[in-house]
Each structure stands twice: as C-alpha cells, then as structure tokens.
C-alpha cells in the first residue's frame, strides 16, 4: 500500500450546453469549474467555497471527500461561469407579454414605480428564457474525477517523502553504528581516569583511610559514573524505533500519526545520547542525529 502525503492540488472543468427559446443550444454554455487544495492537518478539516448555484450540493461533496481522504486540511472551490453565444438575446413575445403584465400590476399598487427599461427587459427576458440547468450529476462526476487526480498527486508526493525518510533512516543507522564501539571505550576510560584521580586525592589525604577501602570506594564511584554515561540502552531503543519506522513506511497506508509518535521517541533518544556524552565524537554524532530527526519530523507531518 502506498504512502500518501496530505499535500496536493487538482482541478477540472465541465461544460454544459444551455438551451434558449426553440432549443437553440448554440445560445450559450455553462461551465462548471472545480479545484481542490489540501495541506497537512492533524484531522480531516473540510472547507467548501461554492457559488450560489452549487451550494445545495455541499452534503454530497462532503460525503465524497470523507470517503476518499482521511487526514488533511482540504479546501474545495466550485463555481459556474455562463458564456452567451450572442451579445444580445431577443426575448420571446410570450416573455415580453408576461413582463408587461407584471409591470402593470406593480404600477397599479405602486404608481411611482419607474417603467421597465430596454436593458431591464433584455436582462429579465434572457433569465426567463434560459433553461435552468441541473448541475448535480455533472458536478459530482467532475468532483469524483478531481478527487482521483488529487489522490494521485498525494500518492506521488507520498512516494517522494517515503524515499527521503528511508534515506534518513540509513544515515541514522550509520551514525548509530559509529557510536556503538565508542561506548565501552568511553566507559573504561572514565573508570581509569576516575580511579587515578581518586588515588591522587587519597595520597594527599595521607592515609586517613585504608588503601583497600579507598580502592573499593573508588571502583564503586567509577562504576556508578560509568553507568551514567553508558548509552548502550539508548542505542538499542533507537535501533528498535528505526526498524519500526522502516516497517511502517514500507507498509504504507494511514501511518502518519504513528510515525509522528516514533519521531518524538527518536528525538528523545538522540537528546539523551547527547546529554550522556563524555566525548566530543559522541556529541557530534548526537547533533547529527538530531538534525536528521528534525528533518524527518517535517516530512512525517505531511504524511496521511
């Protein structure tokens, strides 16, 4: 199953012939335009910006998006553009008679009302003569195709993100491989250094304690300190997190939330590695790890 990004864009248009008196389909066309944009979000957040002609179809569009998308901030825009075939469309005699009758009735009640102008008659007559189109089915067909295009775009972006994540995983494994042999060396160095300083301090104390007791205490303190700087456990947990992230990326599907949690765990282990560091080389490795983990966090936040 592929990995899907929450970032994507798709658009489409559909034209409908618009009928006029005498079924003259050349009189004009209505064109439905639709576009969908999506960015990352913790949940599925839908926003619709529809023209007045299409507002009634929002529930069907919402149901379509909810059936195809799981996460993301999604904005759907749709509108209707009407293009007339002729600059001036002549109203039919029937429409003109009706407009005249309506005008007479209005002026009988409102004597001061102004008479209809030629422009008013042309505008109202064209609106009366034009067939009212049903945009429901064409709009939904266009929406289904556009959503298919959006999902395909999110899949392409998801494949790119997955490839980048796997590349970062390989770099993190290499850094962990560099850190692993440093751990026992650092522990032994710290034990030897601690014991040497302790012996020097005991020599200055001029035998206030027995040599055996002093050495035992030195070894105990050195061991406790070595345990505090030992990062073997952190490296083991880090390797386990890397394995799980790789498994989720290769499995695909709705992995974004789990990946986000694992990235937080990776960051915690890298931080602990740095705080326990007793050598410059281990500090450098920790910093490089945190840089990679932060890059992964940005990428994972776009995965559905």
């Amino acid at each position: 199953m592929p990995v899907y990004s929450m970032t994507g864009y798709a658009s489409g248009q559909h034209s409908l012939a618009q009928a006029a008196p005498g079924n003259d389909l050349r009189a004009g066309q209505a064109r439905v335009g639709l576009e969908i944009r999506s960015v990352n979000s913790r949940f599925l957040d839908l926003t619709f910006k529809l023209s007045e002609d299409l507002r009634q179809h929002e529930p069907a569009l919402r149901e379509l998006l909810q059936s195809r998308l799981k996460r993301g901030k999604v904005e759907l825009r749709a509108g209707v553009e009407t293009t007339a075939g002729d600059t001036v469309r002549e109203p039919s005699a029937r429409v003109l008679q009706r407009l005249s009758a309506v005008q007479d009735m209005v002026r009988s009640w409102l004597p001061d009302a102004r008479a209809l102008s030629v422009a008013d008659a042309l505008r109202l007559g064209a609106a009366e003569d034009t067939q009212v189109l049903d945009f429901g089915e064409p709009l939904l067909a266009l929406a289904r195709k556009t959503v298919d295009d959006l999902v395909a775009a999110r899949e392409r972006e998801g494949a790119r993100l997955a490839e980048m994540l796997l590349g970062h995983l390989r770099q993190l494994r290499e850094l962990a491989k560099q850190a692993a042999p440093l751990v026992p060396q650092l522990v032994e160095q710290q034990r030897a250094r601690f014991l040497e300083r302790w012996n020097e301090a005991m020599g200055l104390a001029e035998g206030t304690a027995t040599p055996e007791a002093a050495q035992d205490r030195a070894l105990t303190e050195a061991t406790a300190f070595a345990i505090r700087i030992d990062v073997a456990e952190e490296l083991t947990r880090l390797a386990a997190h890397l394995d799980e992230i790789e498994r989720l990326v290769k499995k695909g599907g709705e992995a974004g939330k789990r990946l986000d949690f694992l990235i937080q765990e990776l960051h915690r282990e890298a931080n602990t590695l740095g705080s326990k560091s007793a050598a410059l080389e281990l500090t450098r490795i920790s910093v490089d790890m945190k840089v990679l983990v932060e890059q992964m966090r940005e990428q994972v936040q776009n995965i559905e």
Side-chain angles (χ1 to χ4, degrees), residues 13-33:
Q13 293 183 346
H14 183 82
S15 297
L16 290 174
Q18 194 173 35
N23 289 327
D24 181 9
L25 294 181
R26 295 173 299 172
Q29 280 192 331
R31 183 172 59 191
V32 182

Side-chain angles (χ1 to χ4, degrees), residues 68-135:
R68 299 294 305 277
L69 307 175
K70 303 305 179 184
R71 291 178 65 200
K73 182 176 177 61
V74 182
E75 179 183 277
L76 185 149
R77 292 175 176 264
V80 178
E81 179 183 351
T82 303
T83 58
D86 299 319
T87 304
V88 178
R89 185 180 304 167
E90 181 181 348
S92 65
R94 177 185 62 81
V95 171
L96 291 175
Q97 289 173 356
R98 183 175 177 185
L99 289 176
S100 178
V102 170
Q103 176 180 249
D104 292 342
M105 181 186 69
V106 170
R107 299 190 72 182
S108 67
W109 288 91
L110 302 171
D112 295 333
R114 68 176 181 84
L116 289 173
S117 66
V118 174
D120 293 334
L122 290 174
R123 177 173 52 82
L124 295 173
E128 181 72 17
D129 275 337
T130 301
Q131 179 185 5
V132 177
L133 295 176
D134 179 12
F135 295 106

Side-chain angles (χ1 to χ4, degrees), residues 236-255:
T236 300
R237 286 197 297 265
L238 189 140
H241 296 328
L242 294 179
D243 290 342
E244 181 64 10
I245 291 173
E246 183 174 359
R247 186 188 71 81
L248 288 173
V249 170
K250 291 182 176 180
K251 178 183 177 183
E254 300 171 37

Side-chain angles (χ1 to χ4, degrees), residues 13-284:
Q13 293 183 346
H14 183 82
S15 297
L16 290 174
Q18 194 173 35
N23 289 327
D24 181 9
L25 294 181
R26 295 173 299 172
Q29 280 192 331
R31 183 172 59 191
V32 182
L34 185 146
E35 64 176 21
I36 308 176
R37 304 172 185 268
S38 70
V39 294
N40 62 306
S41 176
R42 292 183 61 192
F43 308 102
L44 182 60
D45 181 7
L46 303 179
T47 302
F48 296 88
K49 296 186 177 179
L50 308 175
S51 64
E52 196 62 36
D53 318 65
L54 307 176
R55 195 155 309 204
Q56 60 182 316
H57 304 295
E58 180 178 327
L61 293 172
R62 183 179 297 275
E63 183 179 355
L64 172 63
L65 291 179
Q66 288 175 338
S67 68
R68 299 294 305 277
L69 307 175
K70 303 305 179 184
R71 291 178 65 200
K73 182 176 177 61
V74 182
E75 179 183 277
L76 185 149
R77 292 175 176 264
V80 178
E81 179 183 351
T82 303
T83 58
D86 299 319
T87 304
V88 178
R89 185 180 304 167
E90 181 181 348
S92 65
R94 177 185 62 81
V95 171
L96 291 175
Q97 289 173 356
R98 183 175 177 185
L99 289 176
S100 178
V102 170
Q103 176 180 249
D104 292 342
M105 181 186 69
V106 170
R107 299 190 72 182
S108 67
W109 288 91
L110 302 171
D112 295 333
R114 68 176 181 84
L116 289 173
S117 66
V118 174
D120 293 334
L122 290 174
R123 177 173 52 82
L124 295 173
E128 181 72 17
D129 275 337
T130 301
Q131 179 185 5
V132 177
L133 295 176
D134 179 12
F135 295 106
E137 188 53 41
L139 175 65
L140 290 179
L142 176 61
R144 284 191 286 269
K145 180 181 181 305
T146 308
V147 170
D148 287 342
D149 293 342
L150 176 70
V151 171
R154 286 166 55 130
E155 181 179 348
R156 289 192 297 271
E157 178 66 14
R160 187 183 68 83
L161 291 176
E163 183 178 355
M164 293 176 66
L165 284 174
L166 292 175
H168 288 335
L169 289 178
R170 288 191 291 269
Q171 294 180 62
L172 284 170
R173 291 187 193 280
E174 182 60 32
L175 288 172
K177 185 178 178 181
Q178 295 174 21
L182 296 176
V183 175
Q185 297 175 19
L186 290 173
V187 170
E188 187 57 37
Q189 288 174 11
Q190 289 300 323
R191 284 169 62 93
R193 189 180 305 166
F194 196 91
L195 185 57
E196 180 182 349
R197 291 180 179 176
W198 183 272
N199 287 333
E200 290 176 359
M202 291 304 299
L204 293 175
E206 297 180 352
T208 54
T210 62
E212 294 80 5
Q215 188 174 26
D216 289 343
R217 184 174 179 183
L219 289 174
T220 301
E221 294 292 334
T223 301
F225 183 76
I227 291 173
R228 288 197 299 272
I229 68 169
D230 189 356
V231 294
E233 186 176 350
E234 283 73 18
L235 291 176
T236 300
R237 286 197 297 265
L238 189 140
H241 296 328
L242 294 179
D243 290 342
E244 181 64 10
I245 291 173
E246 183 174 359
R247 186 188 71 81
L248 288 173
V249 170
K250 291 182 176 180
K251 178 183 177 183
E254 300 171 37
K257 290 184 178 180
R258 294 195 64 184
L259 286 172
D260 190 51
F261 170 77
L262 288 168
I263 292 299
Q264 295 179 31
E265 295 300 307
L266 273 184
H267 194 269
R268 182 178 292 111
E269 303 304 338
N271 267 336
T272 305
L273 192 68
S275 64
K276 286 188 171 185
S277 173
L280 184 60
E281 180 64 16
L282 203 55
T283 300
R284 181 195 65 78

